[in-house]
Coordinates of all heavy atoms in Angstrom, one line a residue:
M950 N -80.2 22.7 38.5 CA -81.1 23.7 37.9 C -81.7 23.1 36.6 O -81.3 22.1 36.1 CB -80.3 25.0 37.6 CG -79.8 25.7 38.8 SD -81.3 26.4 39.6 CE -80.6 26.7 41.2
A951 N -82.7 23.8 36.2 CA -83.5 23.4 35.0 C -83.0 23.8 33.7 O -82.3 24.8 33.6 CB -84.9 23.9 35.2
R952 N -83.3 23.1 32.7 CA -83.1 23.5 31.3 C -84.4 24.1 30.8 O -85.4 23.4 30.8 CB -82.7 22.3 30.4 CG -82.4 22.6 29.0 CD -81.7 21.5 28.3 NE -81.1 21.9 27.1 CZ -81.4 21.6 25.9 NH1 -82.4 20.7 25.7 NH2 -80.8 22.0 24.8
I953 N -84.4 25.4 30.5 CA -85.6 26.2 30.2 C -85.5 26.7 28.8 O -84.5 27.3 28.4 CB -85.7 27.3 31.2 CG1 -85.7 26.8 32.6 CG2 -86.9 28.2 30.9 CD1 -85.7 27.9 33.7
L954 N -86.6 26.5 28.1 CA -86.8 27.0 26.7 C -87.5 28.3 26.9 O -88.7 28.4 27.4 CB -87.6 26.0 25.9 CG -88.0 26.5 24.5 CD1 -86.7 26.9 23.6 CD2 -88.8 25.4 23.8
V955 N -86.9 29.4 26.4 CA -87.6 30.8 26.5 C -87.9 31.1 25.1 O -87.1 31.2 24.2 CB -86.6 31.8 27.1 CG1 -87.3 33.2 27.1 CG2 -86.2 31.4 28.5
V956 N -89.2 31.5 24.9 CA -89.7 31.8 23.5 C -90.4 33.2 23.6 O -91.3 33.4 24.3 CB -90.8 30.7 23.1 CG1 -91.1 30.9 21.6 CG2 -90.3 29.3 23.4
E957 N -89.8 34.0 22.8 CA -90.3 35.4 22.7 C -89.9 36.0 21.4 O -88.7 35.9 21.0 CB -89.6 36.2 23.9 CG -89.9 37.7 23.9 CD -91.3 38.1 24.0 OE1 -91.9 37.9 25.0 OE2 -91.8 38.7 23.0
D958 N -90.8 36.7 20.7 CA -90.5 37.2 19.4 C -89.9 38.6 19.5 O -89.5 39.2 18.5 CB -91.7 37.2 18.4 CG -92.9 37.9 18.9 OD1 -92.9 38.3 20.1 OD2 -93.9 38.0 18.2
D959 N -89.8 39.2 20.7 CA -89.2 40.5 20.9 C -87.8 40.2 21.4 O -87.6 39.7 22.5 CB -90.0 41.3 21.9 CG -89.4 42.6 22.3 OD1 -88.1 42.7 22.4 OD2 -90.1 43.6 22.5
S960 N -86.8 40.5 20.6 CA -85.4 40.1 20.9 C -84.9 40.7 22.2 O -84.1 40.1 22.9 CB -84.5 40.3 19.7 OG -84.4 41.7 19.4
D961 N -85.3 41.9 22.5 CA -84.8 42.6 23.7 C -85.4 41.8 24.9 O -84.7 41.6 25.9 CB -85.3 44.0 23.8 CG -84.5 44.9 22.8 OD1 -83.4 44.5 22.4 OD2 -85.1 46.0 22.4
Q962 N -86.7 41.5 24.9 CA -87.3 40.7 26.0 C -86.7 39.3 26.1 O -86.4 38.8 27.2 CB -88.8 40.6 25.8 CG -89.6 41.9 26.0 CD -89.6 42.4 27.4 OE1 -89.7 41.6 28.3 NE2 -89.3 43.6 27.6
L963 N -86.4 38.7 25.0 CA -85.8 37.4 25.0 C -84.4 37.4 25.6 O -84.1 36.6 26.5 CB -85.7 36.9 23.5 CG -85.0 35.5 23.3 CD1 -85.9 34.4 24.0 CD2 -84.8 35.2 21.9
N964 N -83.6 38.4 25.3 CA -82.3 38.5 25.9 C -82.3 38.8 27.3 O -81.5 38.3 28.1 CB -81.5 39.5 25.1 CG -81.1 39.1 23.7 OD1 -80.9 37.9 23.5 ND2 -81.0 40.0 22.8
M965 N -83.3 39.7 27.8 CA -83.4 40.0 29.2 C -83.8 38.8 30.0 O -83.2 38.5 31.0 CB -84.4 41.1 29.4 CG -84.6 41.5 30.8 SD -86.0 42.6 31.1 CE -87.3 41.4 30.9
R966 N -84.8 38.0 29.5 CA -85.2 36.8 30.3 C -84.1 35.8 30.3 O -83.9 35.1 31.3 CB -86.5 36.2 29.6 CG -87.7 37.1 29.9 CD -89.0 36.4 29.6 NE -90.0 37.5 29.6 CZ -90.6 37.9 28.6 NH1 -90.4 37.4 27.4 NH2 -91.5 38.9 28.7
K967 N -83.4 35.6 29.2 CA -82.3 34.7 29.1 C -81.2 35.0 30.2 O -80.8 34.2 30.9 CB -81.7 34.7 27.7 CG -80.6 33.7 27.5 CD -80.2 33.7 26.0 CE -79.3 32.5 25.6 NZ -77.9 32.8 26.0
Q968 N -80.9 36.3 30.3 CA -79.9 36.7 31.2 C -80.3 36.5 32.7 O -79.5 36.0 33.5 CB -79.5 38.2 31.0 CG -78.7 38.5 29.8 CD -78.5 40.0 29.6 OE1 -78.9 40.8 30.4 NE2 -77.8 40.3 28.5
V969 N -81.6 36.8 33.0 CA -82.1 36.6 34.3 C -82.0 35.1 34.7 O -81.6 34.8 35.8 CB -83.6 37.1 34.4 CG1 -84.2 36.7 35.7 CG2 -83.6 38.7 34.4
L970 N -82.5 34.3 33.8 CA -82.5 32.8 34.1 C -81.1 32.2 34.2 O -80.9 31.4 35.0 CB -83.4 32.1 33.1 CG -84.9 32.5 33.1 CD1 -85.6 31.8 31.9 CD2 -85.5 32.2 34.4
E971 N -80.2 32.7 33.3 CA -78.8 32.2 33.4 C -78.2 32.6 34.7 O -77.5 31.9 35.3 CB -78.0 32.6 32.2 CG -78.4 31.9 30.9 CD -77.7 32.4 29.7 OE1 -77.2 33.5 29.6 OE2 -77.7 31.6 28.7
H972 N -78.4 33.9 35.1 CA -77.9 34.4 36.3 C -78.4 33.6 37.5 O -77.7 33.4 38.5 CB -78.2 35.9 36.5 CG -77.7 36.5 37.7 ND1 -76.3 36.8 37.8 CD2 -78.2 36.9 38.9 CE1 -76.1 37.3 39.0 NE2 -77.2 37.4 39.7
A973 N -79.6 33.1 37.4 CA -80.2 32.2 38.5 C -79.7 30.8 38.4 O -80.0 30.0 39.3 CB -81.7 32.3 38.4
G974 N -78.8 30.5 37.4 CA -78.2 29.2 37.4 C -78.9 28.2 36.4 O -78.5 27.0 36.4
H975 N -79.8 28.6 35.7 CA -80.5 27.7 34.7 C -79.8 27.7 33.4 O -79.2 28.6 33.0 CB -82.0 28.2 34.5 CG -82.8 28.2 35.8 ND1 -83.2 27.0 36.4 CD2 -83.2 29.2 36.5 CE1 -83.9 27.3 37.5 NE2 -83.9 28.6 37.6
E976 N -80.0 26.6 32.7 CA -79.5 26.4 31.3 C -80.6 26.9 30.5 O -81.8 26.5 30.6 CB -79.2 25.0 31.0 CG -78.7 24.8 29.6 CD -78.5 23.3 29.2 OE1 -78.5 22.4 30.1 OE2 -78.4 23.0 28.0
V977 N -80.4 27.9 29.6 CA -81.4 28.5 28.8 C -81.2 28.2 27.3 O -80.1 28.3 26.7 CB -81.5 30.0 29.0 CG1 -82.5 30.6 28.1 CG2 -81.7 30.3 30.5
V978 N -82.3 27.7 26.7 CA -82.4 27.6 25.2 C -83.4 28.6 24.7 O -84.5 28.8 25.3 CB -82.9 26.2 24.9 CG1 -83.1 26.0 23.4 CG2 -82.1 25.1 25.5
A979 N -83.0 29.4 23.7 CA -83.8 30.5 23.3 C -84.4 30.3 21.9 O -83.7 29.6 21.1 CB -83.0 31.8 23.3
A980 N -85.6 30.8 21.7 CA -86.2 30.7 20.4 C -87.1 32.0 20.2 O -87.6 32.5 21.1 CB -87.1 29.5 20.3
E981 N -87.1 32.4 18.9 CA -87.9 33.6 18.6 C -89.2 33.3 17.9 O -90.0 34.2 17.5 CB -87.1 34.6 17.7 CG -85.9 35.2 18.5 CD -85.2 36.3 17.8 OE1 -85.8 36.8 16.8 OE2 -84.1 36.6 18.2
S982 N -89.5 32.0 17.6 CA -90.8 31.6 17.0 C -91.2 30.3 17.5 O -90.4 29.5 18.1 CB -90.6 31.5 15.5 OG -89.8 30.4 15.1
A983 N -92.5 30.0 17.3 CA -93.0 28.7 17.7 C -92.3 27.5 17.0 O -92.0 26.5 17.6 CB -94.5 28.6 17.5
A984 N -92.1 27.7 15.7 CA -91.5 26.6 14.9 C -90.1 26.4 15.4 O -89.7 25.2 15.6 CB -91.5 27.0 13.4
E985 N -89.3 27.4 15.7 CA -88.0 27.3 16.2 C -88.0 26.6 17.6 O -87.2 25.7 17.9 CB -87.3 28.6 16.3 CG -85.9 28.7 16.7 CD -85.3 30.1 16.8 OE1 -86.0 31.1 16.6 OE2 -84.1 30.2 17.0
A986 N -89.0 27.0 18.4 CA -89.1 26.4 19.8 C -89.4 24.9 19.7 O -88.9 24.2 20.5 CB -90.2 27.2 20.5
I987 N -90.3 24.5 18.8 CA -90.7 23.1 18.7 C -89.5 22.3 18.4 O -89.3 21.2 18.9 CB -91.9 22.9 17.7 CG1 -93.1 23.5 18.3 CG2 -92.0 21.5 17.4 CD1 -94.3 23.7 17.4
E988 N -88.6 22.8 17.5 CA -87.4 22.1 17.1 C -86.4 22.0 18.3 O -85.7 21.0 18.4 CB -86.6 22.9 16.0 CG -87.3 22.8 14.7 CD -86.6 23.7 13.6 OE1 -85.5 24.2 13.9 OE2 -87.2 23.8 12.5
R989 N -86.5 22.9 19.2 CA -85.5 23.0 20.4 C -86.1 22.5 21.7 O -85.5 22.5 22.7 CB -85.0 24.4 20.6 CG -84.3 24.9 19.4 CD -83.8 26.3 19.5 NE -83.1 26.7 18.3 CZ -82.5 27.8 18.2 NH1 -82.5 28.7 19.1 NH2 -81.8 28.1 17.1
L990 N -87.3 21.9 21.6 CA -88.0 21.5 22.8 C -87.5 20.3 23.6 O -87.5 20.3 24.8 CB -89.5 21.2 22.4 CG -90.5 20.9 23.5 CD1 -90.6 22.1 24.5 CD2 -91.9 20.6 22.9
A991 N -86.9 19.4 22.9 CA -86.4 18.2 23.5 C -85.4 18.5 24.6 O -84.5 19.3 24.5 CB -85.7 17.3 22.4
G992 N -85.6 17.8 25.7 CA -84.7 18.0 26.9 C -85.0 19.1 27.8 O -84.3 19.3 28.8
C993 N -86.0 20.0 27.4 CA -86.3 21.1 28.3 C -87.3 20.7 29.3 O -88.3 20.0 29.0 CB -86.8 22.3 27.5 SG -85.5 23.0 26.4
Q994 N -87.1 21.1 30.6 CA -88.1 20.8 31.6 C -89.2 21.9 31.7 O -90.3 21.6 32.2 CB -87.4 20.7 33.0 CG -86.5 19.5 33.2 CD -85.1 19.8 32.7 OE1 -84.7 20.9 32.6 NE2 -84.3 18.8 32.5
I995 N -88.9 23.1 31.3 CA -89.9 24.2 31.4 C -89.8 25.0 30.1 O -88.7 25.3 29.6 CB -89.5 25.1 32.6 CG1 -89.6 24.3 33.9 CG2 -90.4 26.3 32.7 CD1 -89.1 25.1 35.1
V996 N -91.0 25.5 29.7 CA -91.1 26.4 28.6 C -91.7 27.7 29.2 O -92.7 27.7 29.8 CB -92.0 25.9 27.5 CG1 -92.2 27.0 26.4 CG2 -91.5 24.6 26.8
V997 N -90.9 28.8 28.9 CA -91.4 30.1 29.3 C -91.7 30.8 28.0 O -90.8 31.0 27.2 CB -90.4 30.9 30.1 CG1 -90.8 32.3 30.4 CG2 -90.1 30.2 31.5
M998 N -92.9 31.2 27.8 CA -93.3 31.7 26.4 C -94.3 32.8 26.5 O -95.1 32.9 27.4 CB -93.8 30.6 25.6 CG -95.1 29.9 26.1 SD -95.8 28.6 25.1 CE -96.6 29.6 23.8
D999 N -94.2 33.7 25.5 CA -95.3 34.6 25.2 C -96.4 33.8 24.5 O -96.1 32.9 23.8 CB -94.7 35.7 24.3 CG -95.6 36.9 24.0 OD1 -96.8 36.8 24.5 OD2 -95.2 37.8 23.4
L1000 N -97.6 34.2 24.7 CA -98.7 33.5 24.0 C -98.8 33.8 22.5 O -99.1 32.9 21.7 CB -100.0 33.8 24.7 CG -101.2 33.0 24.2 CD1 -101.0 31.5 24.3 CD2 -102.5 33.4 25.0
Q1001 N -98.4 35.0 22.2 CA -98.5 35.4 20.8 C -97.1 35.6 20.2 O -96.5 36.6 20.4 CB -99.3 36.8 20.7 CG -100.7 36.6 21.2 CD -101.5 37.9 20.9 OE1 -101.3 38.6 20.0 NE2 -102.5 38.1 21.8
I1002 N -96.7 34.5 19.5 CA -95.3 34.4 19.0 C -95.3 34.1 17.5 O -94.9 33.0 17.1 CB -94.5 33.4 19.8 CG1 -95.2 32.1 20.0 CG2 -94.0 34.0 21.1 CD1 -94.5 31.0 20.6
P1003 N -95.6 34.9 16.6 CA -96.2 36.3 16.7 C -97.7 36.3 16.8 O -98.3 37.2 17.2 CB -95.7 37.0 15.5 CG -95.6 35.9 14.4 CD -95.2 34.7 15.2
T1004 N -98.3 35.1 16.5 CA -99.8 35.0 16.6 C -100.2 34.1 17.7 O -99.4 33.2 18.2 CB -100.4 34.5 15.3 OG1 -99.9 33.1 15.1 CG2 -99.9 35.4 14.1
R1005 N -101.4 34.2 18.2 CA -101.9 33.3 19.2 C -101.9 31.8 18.7 O -101.6 30.9 19.4 CB -103.3 33.7 19.6 CG -103.9 32.8 20.7 CD -105.3 33.4 21.1 NE -106.0 32.5 22.0 CZ -105.9 32.6 23.3 NH1 -105.2 33.5 23.9 NH2 -106.6 31.7 24.1
E1006 N -102.2 31.7 17.4 CA -102.3 30.3 16.8 C -100.9 29.7 16.9 O -100.8 28.5 17.2 CB -102.7 30.4 15.3 CG -104.2 30.8 15.2 CD -104.5 32.2 15.4 OE1 -103.6 33.1 15.3 OE2 -105.6 32.5 15.8
A1007 N -99.8 30.4 16.6 CA -98.5 29.9 16.8 C -98.2 29.5 18.2 O -97.6 28.4 18.5 CB -97.4 30.9 16.3
G1008 N -98.6 30.3 19.1 CA -98.4 30.0 20.6 C -99.2 28.7 20.9 O -98.7 27.9 21.7
L1009 N -100.4 28.6 20.4 CA -101.2 27.4 20.7 C -100.6 26.1 20.1 O -100.6 25.0 20.8 CB -102.6 27.5 20.2 CG -103.5 28.6 20.9 CD1 -104.8 28.8 20.2 CD2 -103.6 28.3 22.4
R1010 N -99.9 26.2 19.0 CA -99.2 25.1 18.4 C -98.0 24.6 19.3 O -97.8 23.4 19.5 CB -98.6 25.4 17.0 CG -99.7 25.3 15.9 CD -99.0 25.3 14.5 NE -98.2 26.4 14.2 CZ -98.6 27.6 13.8 NH1 -99.9 27.8 13.6 NH2 -97.8 28.6 13.6
L1011 N -97.3 25.6 19.9 CA -96.2 25.3 20.8 C -96.8 24.7 22.1 O -96.2 23.7 22.6 CB -95.4 26.5 21.1 CG -94.3 26.3 22.1 CD1 -93.3 25.2 21.7 CD2 -93.5 27.6 22.3
I1012 N -97.9 25.2 22.6 CA -98.5 24.6 23.8 C -98.8 23.2 23.5 O -98.6 22.3 24.4 CB -99.7 25.5 24.3 CG1 -99.2 26.8 24.8 CG2 -100.5 24.7 25.3 CD1 -100.3 27.8 25.0
Q1013 N -99.5 22.9 22.4 CA -99.9 21.5 22.1 C -98.6 20.6 22.0 O -98.6 19.5 22.5 CB -100.6 21.5 20.8 CG -101.1 20.2 20.4 CD -102.0 20.2 19.1 OE1 -101.8 21.1 18.2 NE2 -102.9 19.3 19.0
A1014 N -97.6 21.1 21.4 CA -96.4 20.3 21.2 C -95.7 20.0 22.5 O -95.1 18.9 22.8 CB -95.4 21.0 20.3
A1015 N -95.7 21.0 23.5 CA -95.1 20.8 24.8 C -95.9 20.2 25.8 O -95.4 19.6 26.8 CB -94.6 22.2 25.3
S1016 N -97.2 20.2 25.7 CA -98.1 19.6 26.7 C -97.8 18.2 27.0 O -97.6 17.3 26.1 CB -99.6 19.7 26.3 OG -100.0 21.1 26.3
G1017 N -97.7 17.9 28.3 CA -97.5 16.5 28.7 C -96.0 16.2 28.9 O -95.7 15.2 29.6
S1018 N -95.1 16.9 28.3 CA -93.7 16.6 28.4 C -92.9 17.6 29.1 O -91.8 17.4 29.5 CB -93.1 16.4 27.0 OG -93.2 17.6 26.3
T1019 N -93.5 18.8 29.3 CA -92.8 19.9 30.0 C -93.8 20.8 30.7 O -94.9 20.8 30.4 CB -91.9 20.7 29.0 OG1 -91.1 21.6 29.7 CG2 -92.7 21.4 28.0
R1020 N -93.3 21.5 31.7 CA -94.1 22.5 32.3 C -94.1 23.8 31.4 O -93.1 24.1 30.8 CB -93.5 22.9 33.7 CG -93.4 21.8 34.7 CD -94.8 21.4 35.1 NE -94.7 20.5 36.3 CZ -95.6 20.5 37.2 NH1 -96.7 21.2 37.1 NH2 -95.5 19.6 38.2
I1021 N -95.3 24.4 31.4 CA -95.4 25.6 30.5 C -95.8 26.8 31.3 O -96.8 26.8 32.1 CB -96.5 25.3 29.4 CG1 -96.1 24.1 28.6 CG2 -96.7 26.6 28.5 CD1 -97.2 23.6 27.7
I1022 N -95.0 27.9 31.2 CA -95.3 29.2 31.9 C -95.6 30.2 30.8 O -94.7 30.4 29.9 CB -94.2 29.6 32.8 CG1 -93.9 28.6 33.9 CG2 -94.5 31.0 33.4 CD1 -92.7 28.9 34.7
I1023 N -96.7 30.8 30.8 CA -97.1 31.8 29.8 C -96.8 33.2 30.4 O -97.2 33.4 31.5 CB -98.6 31.8 29.4 CG1 -98.9 30.4 28.8 CG2 -99.0 32.9 28.5 CD1 -98.4 30.2 27.4
L1024 N -96.2 34.0 29.6 CA -96.0 35.5 30.0 C -96.7 36.2 28.9 O -96.3 36.2 27.7 CB -94.5 35.9 30.0 CG -93.7 35.4 31.2 CD1 -92.2 35.7 30.9 CD2 -94.1 36.2 32.4
S1025 N -97.8 36.9 29.2 CA -98.6 37.6 28.2 C -99.2 38.9 28.7 O -99.5 39.0 29.9 CB -99.7 36.6 27.7 OG -100.5 37.2 26.8
G1026 N -99.4 39.8 27.8 CA -100.1 41.0 28.1 C -101.6 40.8 28.1 O -102.4 41.6 28.5
A1027 N -102.0 39.7 27.5 CA -103.5 39.3 27.5 C -104.0 38.8 28.8 O -103.2 38.4 29.7 CB -103.7 38.3 26.4
A1028 N -105.3 38.8 29.0 CA -105.9 38.3 30.2 C -105.6 36.8 30.3 O -105.6 36.1 29.3 CB -107.4 38.6 30.2
A1029 N -105.5 36.3 31.5 CA -105.3 34.9 31.7 C -106.5 34.1 31.1 O -107.6 34.5 31.2 CB -105.2 34.6 33.2
D1030 N -106.1 33.0 30.5 CA -107.1 32.1 29.9 C -107.1 30.8 30.6 O -106.1 30.0 30.4 CB -106.8 31.9 28.4 CG -107.8 31.1 27.6 OD1 -108.6 30.4 28.3 OD2 -107.8 31.2 26.4
S1031 N -108.0 30.5 31.5 CA -108.0 29.3 32.3 C -108.3 28.0 31.4 O -108.1 26.9 31.9 CB -109.1 29.4 33.4 OG -110.4 29.5 32.8
E1032 N -108.7 28.2 30.2 CA -108.9 27.0 29.3 C -107.6 26.5 28.7 O -107.6 25.4 28.2 CB -109.9 27.4 28.2 CG -111.2 27.9 28.6 CD -112.0 26.8 29.4 OE1 -112.1 25.7 28.9 OE2 -112.5 27.2 30.5
L1033 N -106.5 27.2 28.8 CA -105.3 26.8 28.2 C -104.7 25.7 29.1 O -104.6 25.8 30.3 CB -104.3 27.9 28.0 CG -104.7 29.0 27.0 CD1 -103.7 30.1 27.0 CD2 -104.7 28.4 25.6
P1034 N -104.1 24.6 28.5 CA -103.5 23.6 29.2 C -102.0 24.0 29.6 O -101.1 23.4 29.2 CB -103.5 22.4 28.3 CG -103.4 23.0 26.9 CD -104.1 24.3 27.0
V1035 N -101.9 25.0 30.5 CA -100.6 25.5 30.9 C -100.5 25.4 32.4 O -101.5 25.3 33.1 CB -100.3 26.9 30.4 CG1 -100.3 27.0 28.9 CG2 -101.3 27.9 31.0
D1036 N -99.3 25.4 32.9 CA -99.1 25.3 34.4 C -99.1 26.6 35.1 O -99.5 26.7 36.3 CB -97.7 24.6 34.6 CG -97.7 23.2 34.0 OD1 -98.3 22.3 34.6 OD2 -97.1 23.1 33.0
E1037 N -98.8 27.7 34.4 CA -98.8 29.0 35.1 C -99.1 30.1 34.0 O -98.6 30.0 32.9 CB -97.5 29.3 35.7 CG -97.4 30.5 36.5 CD -97.9 30.4 37.9 OE1 -97.7 29.3 38.6 OE2 -98.5 31.3 38.4
F1038 N -99.9 31.1 34.3 CA -100.1 32.2 33.4 C -99.8 33.5 34.2 O -100.4 33.8 35.1 CB -101.6 32.2 33.0 CG -101.9 33.1 31.8 CD1 -102.2 32.5 30.6 CD2 -101.8 34.4 31.8 CE1 -102.4 33.2 29.4 CE2 -102.0 35.2 30.7 CZ -102.4 34.6 29.5
L1039 N -98.7 34.1 33.7 CA -98.2 35.4 34.3 C -98.5 36.5 33.4 O -98.2 36.5 32.2 CB -96.7 35.3 34.6 CG -96.3 34.2 35.5 CD1 -94.7 34.1 35.6 CD2 -96.9 34.3 36.9
T1040 N -99.1 37.6 33.9 CA -99.5 38.7 33.1 C -98.3 39.7 33.1 O -97.7 40.0 34.1 CB -100.8 39.4 33.7 OG1 -101.8 38.4 33.8 CG2 -101.2 40.5 32.8
K1041 N -98.0 40.2 31.9 CA -97.0 41.2 31.7 C -97.6 42.6 32.2 O -98.8 42.8 31.9 CB -96.6 41.4 30.3 CG -95.8 40.2 29.7 CD -95.5 40.4 28.3 CE -94.8 39.3 27.6 NZ -94.6 39.5 26.2
P1042 N -96.8 43.5 32.7 CA -95.4 43.3 33.1 C -95.3 42.3 34.3 O -96.1 42.3 35.2 CB -94.9 44.7 33.4 CG -96.1 45.4 33.9 CD -97.3 44.8 33.1
C1043 N -94.3 41.5 34.2 CA -94.0 40.5 35.3 C -92.6 40.7 35.8 O -91.6 40.7 35.0 CB -94.2 39.1 34.7 SG -93.8 37.8 35.8
S1044 N -92.4 40.8 37.1 CA -91.1 41.0 37.6 C -90.2 39.7 37.4 O -90.8 38.6 37.4 CB -91.2 41.4 39.1 OG -91.6 40.3 39.8
S1045 N -89.0 39.9 37.4 CA -88.1 38.7 37.3 C -88.2 37.9 38.5 O -88.2 36.6 38.4 CB -86.6 39.2 37.2 OG -86.4 40.0 36.1
R1046 N -88.4 38.5 39.7 CA -88.6 37.7 40.9 C -89.9 36.8 40.8 O -89.8 35.6 41.2 CB -88.8 38.6 42.1 CG -88.8 37.9 43.5 CD -89.0 38.8 44.6 NE -90.4 38.8 44.8 CZ -91.0 39.3 45.8 NH1 -90.3 40.0 46.7 NH2 -92.3 39.2 46.0
R1047 N -90.9 37.3 40.3 CA -92.2 36.5 40.2 C -92.0 35.4 39.2 O -92.5 34.3 39.4 CB -93.3 37.4 39.7 CG -94.7 36.8 39.8 CD -95.8 37.8 39.7 NE -97.0 37.1 39.6 CZ -97.9 37.4 38.7 NH1 -97.8 38.5 37.9 NH2 -99.1 36.7 38.6
L1048 N -91.3 35.6 38.1 CA -91.0 34.5 37.1 C -90.1 33.5 37.8 O -90.4 32.3 37.7 CB -90.3 35.1 35.9 CG -89.8 34.1 34.9 CD1 -91.0 33.3 34.3 CD2 -89.1 34.8 33.7
L1049 N -89.1 33.9 38.5 CA -88.2 32.9 39.2 C -88.9 32.1 40.2 O -88.7 30.9 40.4 CB -87.0 33.6 39.8 CG -86.0 34.2 38.7 CD1 -84.9 35.0 39.4 CD2 -85.3 33.1 37.9
E1050 N -89.9 32.7 40.9 CA -90.7 32.0 41.9 C -91.5 31.0 41.2 O -91.7 29.8 41.7 CB -91.6 33.0 42.7 CG -90.8 33.8 43.7 CD -91.6 35.0 44.3 OE1 -92.8 35.2 43.8 OE2 -91.1 35.6 45.2
A1051 N -92.1 31.3 40.1 CA -92.9 30.3 39.4 C -92.1 29.1 38.9 O -92.5 28.0 39.0 CB -93.6 31.0 38.2
I1052 N -90.9 29.4 38.4 CA -90.0 28.4 38.0 C -89.6 27.5 39.1 O -89.5 26.3 39.0 CB -88.8 29.0 37.3 CG1 -89.2 29.5 35.9 CG2 -87.6 27.9 37.1 CD1 -88.2 30.4 35.2
A1053 N -89.3 28.1 40.3 CA -88.9 27.4 41.5 C -89.9 26.4 41.9 O -89.6 25.3 42.4 CB -88.5 28.3 42.6
R1054 N -91.2 26.7 41.7 CA -92.3 25.8 42.1 C -92.2 24.5 41.3 O -92.6 23.4 41.7 CB -93.6 26.4 42.0 CG -93.9 27.4 43.1 CD -95.4 27.8 43.1 NE -95.9 28.5 41.9 CZ -95.7 29.8 41.7 NH1 -95.1 30.6 42.6 NH2 -96.2 30.4 40.6
F1055 N -91.7 24.6 40.1 CA -91.7 23.4 39.2 C -90.4 22.7 39.2 O -90.2 21.6 38.6 CB -92.0 23.8 37.8 CG -93.4 24.5 37.6 CD1 -93.5 25.7 37.0 CD2 -94.5 23.9 38.2 CE1 -94.8 26.3 37.0 CE2 -95.7 24.4 38.1 CZ -95.9 25.7 37.5
T1056 N -89.4 23.2 39.9 CA -88.1 22.6 39.9 C -87.7 22.1 41.3 O -86.6 21.5 41.5 CB -87.0 23.6 39.4 OG1 -86.9 24.7 40.3 CG2 -87.2 23.9 38.0
A1057 N -88.6 22.3 42.3 CA -88.3 21.9 43.7 C -88.4 20.4 43.8 O -89.0 19.7 43.1 CB -89.3 22.5 44.6

């Protein structure tokens, strides 16, 4: 299974995603900010992140730091932005099943 960095500034959402991914057998590294996530990025195959953590600019810094070294899945309430260099853009609300399917595509 994959080592996944989950980045979300809402602690309830962070804990829920962490539990879902761990239950599916993944190793999960959690972060509540872009700065914290950048520090924990090494060794992660996938980043699952909110785009605004807490600002869009912070999210863009994390995308820039992770680009090229890991797959990036965005979970956002905002409309999909095809200009972002990410692998998947999922719109909230997003079911756990849909998130796990996206992750499976990158770990197969």
